[in-house]
Amino acid sequence: MSQEHADKAGFETRAIHAGYEPDPTTGAVIPPIFATSTYKQDGVGGLRGGYEYSRSANPTRTALEGALAAVEEGERGFAFASGLAAEDTLVRTVCRPGDHVVFPDDAYGGTHRLFAKVEAAWGLGLTTAPVSDPDAVRAAIRPGETKLVWLETPTNPLLNIGDIEAIAAVAHDAGALLVVDNTFATPYLQQPLTLGADVVVHSTTKYVGGHSDVVGGALVVRDLELAEQVAFHQNAIGAVSGPFDAFLTHRGLKTLGVRMDRHCDNAEAVVEFLAAHPAVGSVIYPGLPEHPGHDVASRQMKRYGGMVSFRVTGGEEQALRVCDRARVFTLGESLGGVESLIEHPGRMTHASVAGTDLEVPADLVRLSVGIETAADLIADLDHALG
Ligand SMILES: *Cc1c(COP(=O)(O)O)cnc(C)c1O
């Protein structure tokens, strides 16, 4: 689809068509998997379509990158081997030793580990702050040193909400860039670049891929100059998405809208069930009016997503038992696939943050609500809690 059409088209049309025109020689409707590392040149430097070597660019990846930029309403998209590879590339593009980053106090554990254990050793300062409080984010900024304000919203696994517009203003006042990890919300529910963010990060392993069959990451940026710098680092560091992975991720992206609507429908049904169950102490979901981030979420999200967390009244022992007893919900890490997953963050995804500011309650259970039949999901939870 041409850029001009893409700019005007609706979300689903962009997800399906942006980034690729049917192949001029064969008419292939879907971007082929270009399993090639190098490209024939027509005379020295005579590149066909700019392709030279597949770390620098590969047509299967180019198609995905164009579609990612279009759904996030950014200038350019970049696809990486994983979400963490995307994050690391961004940090090394923007930060130098001695610089400082403000970071959510309940971020994804792997992102925290990347900053605290890897980037810190290269001289990057780190201060955590609650994303739900723009004043606390402002107070955590070190004028002149803070280059990035990192935001996840909703956060993982406590589903706290950060006000993207307000925190963008805080970051920009200090001359820092605002980065939003949009993995949980997805571009279907929330478009941070339209709310003032400078960069969107994704673990495309999750909802964008959507079928638990590929690991990948993405960056989408708004500013062309920053895009040039990210492009340089993507190639210079080399943690790119391979053509097979890019193909699967792109296939997933096409159905993101319909999948997210079903994820949200099912999550709402599960929340209603859990809220009425005597063994459940509290349900954490931004769609609930009593959730502290509900108003901000209603302003910046189309719906509230497929992730639900809850605390049980019987402590850690019961939380572990619920995870073990579930049958339709598969016990496992990760999220965002068509199948429902259940996990115990304290012992699983967030075990690496035990003893830090990011430690999560031991009686917490996290659900990635899939797109199966809602009644089966509820019956399964009823059994697991019983
Ligand atoms: C999974 C995840 C990441 C890391 O992505 P990988 O693809 O596993 O490297 C980053 N942020 C969030 C919110 C995630 O859920």
Side-chain angles (χ1 to χ4, degrees):
M1 188 167 66
S2 71
Q3 190 59 42
E4 191 194 343
H5 270 94
D7 289 346
K8 292 193 203 111
F11 181 88
E12 293 84 349
T13 309
R14 276 179 278 143
I16 292 167
H17 293 287
Y20 181 71
E21 296 275 10
D23 182 60
T25 52
T26 64
V29 168
I30 297 300
I33 300 173
F34 281 89
T36 187
S37 59
T38 190
Y39 304 83
K40 174 181 162 56
Q41 303 191 8
D42 298 318
V44 175
L47 307 182
R48 300 184 188 177
Y51 294 102
E52 177 178 33
Y53 182 62
S54 279
R55 169 163 35 69
S56 317
N58 172 287
T60 314
R61 194 175 94 218
T62 304
L64 169 62
E65 290 177 332
L68 287 166
V71 293
E72 285 287 4
E73 304 202 14
E75 275 298 335
R76 263 182 89 174
F78 301 91
F80 293 87
S82 71
L84 291 180
E87 295 179 7
D88 180 48
T89 301
L90 177 67
V91 171
R92 290 202 267 170
T93 301
V94 176
C95 299
R96 296 293 173 266
D99 288 343
H100 175 253
V101 176
V102 177
F103 193 77
D105 68 358
D106 61 348
Y108 172 71
T111 303
H112 181 260
R113 182 178 57 202
L114 173 69
F115 278 93
K117 300 272 168 67
V118 180
E119 314 291 5
W122 295 92
L124 198 67
L126 184 67
T127 305
T128 57
V131 296
S132 53
D133 181 356
D135 292 331
V137 174
R138 189 188 301 278
I141 284 180
R142 293 190 200 151
E145 286 175 30
T146 304
K147 294 287 155 54
L148 288 179
V149 173
W150 198 277
L151 179 59
E152 252 179 56
T153 180
T155 62
N156 176 14
L158 294 172
L159 307 177
N160 286 311
I161 301 294
D163 184 331
I164 297 171
E165 262 182 320
I167 296 177
V170 167
H172 295 158
D173 280 352
L177 298 179
L178 177 66
V179 183
V180 177
D181 183 333
N182 206 27
T183 299
F184 270 40
T186 83
Y188 181 65
L189 300 179
Q190 169 175 287
Q191 290 167 317
L193 300 179
T194 67
L195 298 167
D198 301 284
V199 184
V200 163
V201 174
H202 278 282
S203 170
T204 54
T205 314
K206 315 295 168 51
Y207 287 106
V208 170
H211 296 74
S212 304
D213 55 7
V214 61
V215 171
L219 297 174
V220 183
V221 303
R222 209 155 54 106
D223 174 74
L224 274 178
E225 202 181 309
L226 179 61
E228 288 298 322
Q229 292 167 17
V230 171
F232 172 82
H233 285 82
Q234 182 192 36
N235 180 50
I237 295 171
V240 296
S241 176
F244 291 81
D245 290 356
F247 173 86
L248 282 174
T249 305
H250 197 171
R251 182 165 74 165
L253 179 62
K254 290 169 198 276
T255 55
L256 181 66
V258 288
R259 282 188 288 109
M260 287 316 294
D261 272 329
R262 181 61 73 86
H263 282 294
C264 293
D265 290 345
N266 283 359
E268 286 166 15
V270 162
V271 164
E272 196 183 323
F273 165 77
L274 290 173
H277 199 285
V280 175
S282 59
V283 183
I284 305 169
Y285 188 64
L288 288 169
E290 63 267 29
H291 186 288
H294 178 70
D295 291 345
V296 174
S298 302
R299 235 186 297 129
Q300 68 190 18
M301 298 177 77
K302 184 171 170 180
R303 297 182 70 184
Y304 306 98
M307 300 301 296
V308 177
S309 293
F310 62 98
R311 299 179 69 170
V312 291
T313 51
E316 181 172 37
E317 200 185 317
Q318 191 190 15
L320 294 171
R321 201 165 53 236
V322 170
C323 293
D324 281 342
R325 284 169 59 96
R327 290 293 170 267
V328 182
F329 280 84
T330 302
L331 176 61
E333 302 200 357
S334 198
L335 60 111
V338 291
E339 68 291 314
S340 293
L341 297 174
I342 189 166
E343 69 122 358
H344 184 263
R347 296 271 186 104
M348 293 170 61
T349 48
H350 289 65
S352 67
V353 296
T356 72
D357 296 349
L358 284 81
E359 187 168 296
V360 296
D363 57 9
L364 187 74
V365 176
R366 189 190 79 178
L367 304 177
S368 172
V369 180
I371 64 172
E372 300 96 332
T373 310
D376 294 335
L377 299 180
I378 287 168
D380 192 44
L381 290 171
D382 197 22
H383 163 78
L385 283 160

